[in-house]
């Protein structure tokens, strides 16, 4: 839900903060990086249709993660799109953005779709009662350190 709320704020501010008509056009952003460095999908084009398509794919990934549908792929897509959106205008980032990236990365190693998800409902495998992995420990440690 936090990803969805953060995404909603980004969409509402997209023209002002993340587009070529906003405060940091792509040409100005390239002045901060070495020549040829493209660290965001949102930098590939200044066309509104391309950005709208990327935002739509980002929203689909967040909704798939929320529902627990193809969870590992949804986590990976959310991680890539979140990093791309945050890198498009890194001057708007704050500490919670760093935390979101860390938690999404750790979620790649956690069986996120094991319980209460579409993946779990469609699965025919019997799941263990306890789920312990490197990812679950990383998320617990991150929560304690935050």
């Amino acid at each position: 839900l936090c990803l969805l709320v953060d995404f909603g704020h980004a969409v509402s501010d997209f023209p002002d903060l993340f587009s070529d008509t906003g405060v940091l056009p792509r040409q100005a952003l390239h002045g901060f990086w070495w020549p040829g460095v493209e660290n965001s999908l949102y930098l590939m084009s200044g066309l509104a249709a391309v950005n709208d398509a990327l935002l739509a794919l980002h929203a689909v990934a967040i909704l798939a993660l929320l529902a627990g549908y193809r969870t590992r792929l949804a986590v990976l897509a959310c991680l890539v799109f979140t990093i791309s959106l945050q890198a498009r205008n890194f001057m708007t980032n704050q500490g919670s953005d760093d935390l979101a990236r860390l938690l999404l990365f750790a979620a790649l190693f956690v069986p996120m779709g094991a319980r209460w998800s579409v993946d779990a409902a469609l699965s025919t495998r019997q799941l263990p009662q306890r789920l312990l992995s490197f990812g679950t420990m990383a998320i617990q440690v991150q929560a304690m350190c935050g």
Side-chain angles (χ1 to χ4, degrees):
L1 286 174
C2 290
L3 282 176
L4 192 59
V5 170
D6 186 52
F7 178 74
H9 289 294
V11 167
S12 67
D13 294 331
F14 195 87
D16 298 328
L17 298 177
F18 302 104
S19 73
D20 284 349
T21 60
V23 296
L24 189 61
R26 286 177 305 135
Q27 279 188 320
L29 182 67
H30 283 87
F32 291 104
W33 300 106
W34 291 305
V37 171
E38 296 289 329
N39 61 345
S40 171
L41 294 173
Y42 291 95
L43 289 173
M44 78 169 80
S45 174
L47 297 174
V50 173
N51 287 330
D52 291 344
L54 288 171
L55 289 171
L57 289 172
H58 193 165
V60 167
I62 291 171
L63 293 174
L65 180 58
L66 189 61
Y69 180 70
R70 303 216 180 218
T71 313
R72 194 166 302 258
L73 180 62
V75 168
L76 179 62
C78 284
L79 178 64
V80 169
F81 280 117
T82 299
I83 288 172
S84 291
L85 186 61
Q86 292 172 359
R88 173 57 180 90
N89 187 348
F90 59 90
M91 293 182 213
T92 63
N93 290 347
Q94 55 186 347
S96 63
D97 296 322
D98 297 335
L99 180 62
R101 288 192 309 271
L102 285 171
L103 290 175
L104 282 169
F105 180 74
L108 286 172
F109 305 101
V110 175
M112 297 288 287
R115 303 270 193 266
W116 300 97
S117 66
V118 173
D119 288 346
L122 297 176
S123 177
T124 58
R125 293 185 302 142
Q126 178 67 25
L127 295 170
Q129 291 298 324
R130 298 177 77 197
L131 298 171
L132 181 64
S133 68
F134 172 75
T136 56
M137 289 187 292
I139 285 180
Q140 290 296 320
V141 169
Q142 178 62 41
M144 290 186 297
C145 293

